[in-house]
Amino acid sequence: MSFTWPALLLALLLLPLTALVLWGLERRRERTAQAFADAHLLGSVLRPASRAHRRWPLALQLLALGVLLFAAARPVAPLPLPVNKAAVVLAIDTSRSMLASDLNPNRLEAARAIALEFLKLAPPTTQIGLASFSDVATVLVPPTTDRERLREAIAQLKIAQNTSLASAVVTGVRMLPGRKDVRPPEELTPRMFSLPDAQPSTPPAPQPEKMPPGAILIISDGVNNTSPNPEISAGDGLRIATRFASQWKVRVYTVGVGREGGAIMQLNGQNYFVPFEPRTLQTLAQETDGKYTYAPSQEALREVFAEVGTVIRWEPTRTEISALLSGVALVLLMLAGALNLHWQRRVP
């Protein structure tokens, strides 16, 4: 426990001083009473309350004073509070094919609009992360509840080169809470970057069944032409990444941006055909228990949160408890007053 204003703890010294003053006043009342009656007749004249009836209300009042003085220092303690552990990662395709203008003004702007609508509909306690992907996936914003930070990052998305859906899936899984120490599939690691067999001791990896639920929402045209490992095909890389997501209890939801039949895009004075491949996105979603959506409505985007769910876990959170202590002091004062009223017909 810590204190915002620790100097005010010195005010607790008032507690024994107050008790001493009250004891002195009680002794004075006793001496005054003895001056008005014979000692043998004093009990018949005054009929004083029992010691217990006098001391219990006084003890409660002193305890309430002590609690209030302690609260004045503004103590901060780690209290177990409910926290929503569910999280979603937005992964937006920023490959060159997203410049195709079959959607107005182009696929990337359509993806931006979908992502912003998703943020608008998200519950405020849901953690959302943001990644962009082309040849490789890049973490732009780790899962957070700061919606403004996410909007700024979405506005700054820039076009890159090719598309690796496998990188988007693997990076999205490792961005989710509890999974950052999960090693990516070895098949997707190029041989030159692979780790040696003899590894220093590392903490054991978390168990998938104990993970809070997580989801990835991929917004893409479905074109998949690059693998994280050049030694395997893009299709095989995506199948490995799909199994990786399922292993770590992550659902992948996909949103297709583009029009059936593809589009012709002009780049550097030359025309290129840019396909739209929704089947790739449909298969990815189906094999991870997610859903594929085309031209998503608000209801379809809300389904992501409905299916991921809200997982409440109790976690220690540093919280100021002054208000709680003040409430306890109020209850003690009310109890002291009730006892005084019952036993002595007066408050306090």
Side-chain angles (χ1 to χ4, degrees):
M1 180 180 292
S2 59
F3 299 88
T4 305
W5 296 338
L8 288 182
L9 288 174
L10 294 174
L12 287 172
L13 296 175
L14 294 174
L15 198 57
L17 180 60
T18 303
L20 184 61
V21 170
L22 291 175
W23 178 78
L25 292 174
E26 179 67 18
R27 295 287 295 172
R28 181 181 177 184
R29 278 195 296 268
E30 290 178 358
R31 289 195 299 270
T32 303
Q34 291 173 359
F36 286 94
D38 185 270
H40 300 289
L41 301 176
L42 186 60
S44 301
V45 175
L46 293 179
R47 298 184 182 276
S50 69
R51 289 182 180 273
H53 289 182
R54 295 197 307 272
R55 289 178 178 176
W56 271 108
L58 180 60
L60 290 173
Q61 290 167 11
L62 289 174
L63 181 59
L65 176 61
V67 171
L68 286 174
L69 293 175
F70 187 78
R74 298 181 62 184
V76 178
L79 297 181
L81 296 177
V83 178
N84 183 6
K85 299 298 290 185
V88 180
V89 170
L90 275 171
I92 301 178
D93 189 346
T94 56
S95 61
R96 283 186 298 182
S97 63
M98 294 294 284
L99 288 175
S101 57
D102 49 351
L103 296 180
N104 187 31
N106 57 46
R107 295 177 181 178
L108 180 60
E109 292 304 319
R112 274 198 182 102
I114 293 169
L116 292 174
E117 183 67 18
F118 186 76
L119 294 182
K120 188 188 302 181
L121 297 173
T125 59
T126 300
Q127 297 183 77
I128 299 178
L130 178 66
S132 65
F133 66 96
S134 53
D135 300 81
V136 295
T138 303
V139 178
L140 301 179
V141 181
T144 179
T145 56
D146 187 347
R147 301 294 187 254
E148 190 57 36
R149 183 182 175 190
L150 289 163
R151 291 188 187 95
E152 291 175 359
I154 291 172
Q156 295 172 8
L157 292 173
K158 297 182 189 284
I159 289 295
Q161 297 296 319
N162 299 311
T163 312
S164 174
L165 284 170
S167 289
V169 173
V170 172
T171 299
V173 169
R174 300 182 71 208
M175 285 176 64
L176 289 166
R179 299 171 176 87
K180 71 174 183 177
D181 294 327
V182 172
R183 293 182 61 178
E186 292 184 5
E187 303 94 320
L188 297 182
T189 305
R191 199 172 296 173
M192 60 183 296
F193 297 118
S194 60
L195 298 173
D197 293 335
Q199 292 293 314
S201 60
T202 56
Q207 299 178 358
E209 59 273 11
K210 295 183 178 180
M211 294 285 117
I216 305 170
L217 179 64
I218 293 179
I219 307 174
S220 172
D221 56 15
V223 177
N224 181 42
N225 51 27
T226 302
S227 170
N229 186 352
E231 298 177 4
I232 62 176
S233 67
D236 289 341
L238 182 56
R239 282 188 283 274
I240 294 169
T242 300
R243 290 197 300 269
F244 179 71
S246 298
Q247 175 190 354
W248 290 100
K249 309 299 182 186
V250 175
R251 295 182 179 183
V252 181
Y253 296 80
T254 56
V255 177
V257 286
R259 293 196 183 278
E260 199 70 41
I264 302 298
M265 182 178 70
Q266 191 174 70
L267 187 65
N268 297 327
Q270 296 186 4
N271 290 331
Y272 295 88
F273 172 69
V274 182
F276 172 55
E277 300 181 1
R279 291 176 187 82
T280 304
L281 299 174
Q282 291 168 355
T283 302
L284 173 58
Q286 181 180 358
E287 293 184 358
T288 57
D289 293 328
K291 284 185 179 179
Y292 167 77
T293 305
Y294 180 74
S297 61
Q298 290 188 352
E299 290 71 22
L301 293 176
R302 284 196 183 97
E303 282 185 12
V304 178
F305 300 108
E307 295 189 14
V308 170
T310 300
V311 177
I312 301 299
R313 292 188 178 176
W314 294 84
E315 291 189 350
T317 305
R318 291 183 61 79
T319 307
E320 184 176 327
I321 58 174
S322 299
L324 177 62
L325 293 176
S326 298
V328 171
L330 178 61
V331 171
L332 292 173
L333 288 173
M334 292 176 65
L335 180 58
L339 292 178
N340 249 328
L341 185 63
H342 176 68
W343 286 334
Q344 302 186 47
R345 300 296 187 267
R346 65 176 185 172
V347 177

